[in-house]
Amino acid sequence: EQKIVSGIAYSPDEAKITLLGVPDRPGVAASIFGPLADAAVNVDMIVQNISHEDQSTDMTFTVGKADLDRAMSVLDGLKDELGHDGVQAETNVTKVSVVGVGMRSQPGVAKTMFETLADKGINIEVISTSEIKVSVLIGGDYTELAVRALHTAYGLDAEPSD
Amino acid sequence: EQKIVSGIAYSPDEAKITLLGVPDRPGVAASIFGPLADAAVNVDMIVQNISHEDQSTDMTFTVGKADLDRAMSVLDGLKDELGHDGVQAETNVTKVSVVGVGMRSQPGVAKTMFETLADKGINIEVISTSEIKVSVLIGGDYTELAVRALHTAYGLDAEPSD
Ligand SMILES: C[C@@H](O)[C@H](N)C(=O)O
Ligand SMILES: C[C@@H](O)[C@H](N)C(=O)O
């Protein structure tokens, strides 16, 4: 039987940073990630959703915890120019990903991931996907619970569970 | 010289759907993508950012235009149970992706993409990334401008431009 999902990846060493209320107009993303790149901050996920009538939206990204201070100091330097409402950072967060292939044609993969987390009462804080990966950010305390439940849900356990 | 970025992918046949103000608590993502999967709607990107004190957030996803009607009718069925503020759909949207490898360790890739789009006055509506792809949603009218500018920015043009 061909497995669509090949594994569960997780990274508890990430920090989630959100710039609240950034203006939604050309040049804003560049003004954030340009300086971060110049400071050699390795950004992992970037997630931005649409804006509403207020023409502002949130910009969330993750960095390794080791890069958090440098990232925050870069963002500090943008305070006046950018016009956002604030920055919030969270270190007790884990990125959990279901890794597979051709997931666009397999909507059941995301369904299973979300249902499994829901079943364990785990809140999904952020979602970002690609054809080969469905990634979420969850509270760090739920890491082990989430990873075990997902292994079971996708039939990835080494042996049958008792 | 080793190319980090191998190509620009774009898909103008996508529709962007946003559920506005979904409650941010366990089970909500499952209650959206479960029924979509059951209706065999092939979902491409899923993007969800954090919630604020109001404990609600937006859920955006894309589908092929051919799946739009079916997706909207599934969401219609969720109206009462889910408690969201509304659904908005947009068909004149293109997903543009910079495809490469090891992009977490190459923050300059996202910087270049965002600066290139900014330089052409193209607004970035949604961002979602993985280690091998930085994807954005832009207005469909900007597709050709964006794709050409990105090819040039990453040195992917077939011949030198005049
Ligand atoms: C919010 C941010 O992505 C903005 N829309 C930009 O184009 O840079
Ligand atoms: C918004 C949605 O992702 C919700 N937090 C859930 O866990 O399902």
Side-chain angles (χ1 to χ4, degrees):
Chain A
E1 161 214 333
Q2 182 184 21
K3 271 195 190 311
I4 296 148
V5 171
S6 55
I8 308 302
Y10 67 102
S11 139
D13 301 315
E14 305 229 351
K16 162 171 67 83
I17 301 173
T18 300
L19 290 94
L20 303 157
V22 302
D24 184 15
R25 58 168 188 259
V28 168
S31 67
I32 295 165
F33 294 97
L36 286 170
D38 295 343
V41 172
N42 288 334
V43 170
D44 184 17
M45 289 166 95
I46 302 172
V47 175
Q48 176 210 311
N49 209 335
I50 63 165
S51 61
H52 296 190
E53 308 75 30
D54 63 353
Q55 299 293 312
S56 81
T57 185
D58 296 339
M59 185 73 73
T60 293
F61 62 96
T62 63
V63 297
K65 277 180 190 159
D67 277 0
L68 178 60
D69 288 349
R70 192 154 81 256
M72 293 300 278
S73 112
V74 169
L75 296 182
D76 232 36
L78 299 179
K79 250 189 340 228
D80 302 324
E81 147 208 358
L82 194 56
H84 54 295
D85 301 330
V87 180
Q88 76 190 29
E90 175 84 52
T91 50
N92 189 22
V93 75
T94 294
K95 177 182 160 195
V96 180
S97 303
V98 172
V99 184
V101 288
M103 300 210 292
R104 178 174 187 162
S105 50
Q106 302 289 343
V109 173
K111 169 186 178 180
T112 296
M113 183 185 205
F114 301 155
E115 286 183 350
T116 302
L117 296 173
D119 180 59
K120 299 301 184 192
I122 299 170
N123 195 48
I124 297 165
E125 300 181 10
V126 171
I127 301 173
S128 175
T129 65
S130 72
E131 291 83 15
I132 60 165
K133 218 184 233 204
V134 183
S135 296
V136 301
L137 295 179
I138 61 172
D141 298 347
Y142 297 96
T143 304
E144 188 170 354
L145 178 61
V147 173
R148 283 202 208 179
L150 289 168
H151 274 111
T152 301
Y154 292 105
L156 295 170
D157 287 331
E159 292 114 355
S161 51
D162 298 342
Chain B
E1 164 212 331
Q2 183 185 19
K3 271 194 190 314
I4 296 149
V5 171
S6 55
I8 308 301
Y10 67 102
S11 139
D13 302 313
E14 305 226 347
K16 161 170 68 82
I17 302 173
T18 300
L19 291 95
L20 302 157
V22 301
D24 184 17
R25 59 167 187 260
V28 168
S31 66
I32 295 166
F33 294 98
L36 285 170
D38 296 342
V41 173
N42 288 333
V43 170
D44 184 18
M45 289 167 94
I46 303 172
V47 174
Q48 176 210 313
N49 209 334
I50 63 166
S51 60
H52 296 189
E53 308 75 31
D54 63 355
Q55 299 293 311
S56 81
T57 185
D58 296 336
M59 185 73 73
T60 293
F61 62 97
T62 62
V63 297
K65 277 181 190 156
D67 277 1
L68 178 59
D69 287 348
R70 192 154 81 257
M72 293 301 278
S73 112
V74 168
L75 297 182
D76 231 36
L78 300 178
K79 253 196 328 241
D80 302 325
E81 147 209 358
L82 192 56
H84 54 295
D85 301 329
V87 180
Q88 76 189 29
E90 176 85 50
T91 50
N92 189 21
V93 75
T94 294
K95 176 183 160 194
V96 180
S97 304
V98 173
V99 184
V101 287
M103 302 212 291
R104 177 173 187 163
S105 52
Q106 302 290 344
V109 174
K111 169 186 178 179
T112 296
M113 183 185 205
F114 301 156
E115 286 183 349
T116 301
L117 295 173
D119 180 59
K120 300 302 184 192
I122 299 170
N123 195 47
I124 297 166
E125 299 180 12
V126 170
I127 301 173
S128 175
T129 65
S130 73
E131 290 84 16
I132 60 165
K133 217 184 233 203
V134 182
S135 296
V136 301
L137 295 180
I138 61 172
D141 299 347
Y142 296 97
T143 304
E144 186 169 356
L145 178 62
V147 173
R148 283 202 206 179
L150 289 168
H151 274 111
T152 301
Y154 292 105
L156 295 169
D157 288 331
E159 292 114 356
S161 51
D162 298 342

